[in-house]
Amino acid sequence: MMNAFNFDTKAFDTKQFESIFFAPARAYANLAVDYSEKLAHAQLDATKAYTDTGLAQLRSLMSVKDAEGLRSYMEGQQKVAKDLAERLKGDAEKVASLQQDFVQQSQKLTEESVKQAQAASTKATQ
């Protein structure tokens, strides 16, 4: 049976089209969604940690009642700054690692797709 465009869908090799186009696109989309999910979780974790630290510092500042309390608070700020710097470094390394993993997996998918396309092309021309 012919459709409106005079194209016989039964004569079309959907398996080859699936393996060359749709399967690689689906695999890349899955990879991108997984990466996005991991990145979003990392960002949410970092945001929560930074927010918790900021709120704790505000509560600590609000409890200052005298010069000794202020001195103690100010001394604690050095540790907080050091901890935040370490956290920031760790978060940056985590994001860089996620990006590197995504790039490597993307390259692997691309290489596999090219090999499949070349094999299908070779098979079709023989």
Side-chain angles (χ1 to χ4, degrees), residues 12-125:
F12 188 69
D13 184 8
T14 57
K15 290 178 186 174
Q16 185 178 19
F17 197 72
E18 164 68 23
S19 68
I20 293 174
F21 296 106
F22 289 127
R26 212 176 358 268
Y28 182 78
N30 283 331
L31 180 64
V33 169
D34 288 346
Y35 167 74
S36 297
E37 181 180 24
K38 289 174 186 176
L39 184 60
H41 283 292
Q43 290 172 333
L44 287 171
D45 289 344
T47 300
K48 183 175 181 344
Y50 299 138
T51 301
D52 289 347
T53 299
L55 290 172
Q57 289 306 298
L58 285 173
R59 291 187 193 288
S60 194
L61 180 60
M62 289 175 18
S63 69
V64 171
K65 295 187 177 25
D66 57 18
E68 181 60 30
L70 181 59
R71 185 186 64 74
S72 177
Y73 172 80
M74 295 306 288
E75 287 174 355
Q77 291 305 293
Q78 291 175 354
K79 182 183 180 326
V80 170
K82 180 182 175 190
D83 291 346
L84 281 176
E86 289 175 9
R87 172 69 197 228
L88 185 60
K89 179 182 174 190
D91 290 340
E93 289 171 354
K94 184 175 186 177
V95 169
S97 174
L98 286 172
Q99 290 172 338
Q100 184 178 18
D101 186 48
F102 177 75
V103 168
Q104 289 172 348
Q105 290 184 25
S106 295
Q107 288 173 340
K108 183 179 175 185
L109 280 174
T110 301
E111 290 170 6
E112 290 171 1
S113 296
V114 168
K115 286 179 186 177
Q116 286 179 348
Q118 287 173 340
S121 175
T122 302
K123 183 179 176 183
T125 58

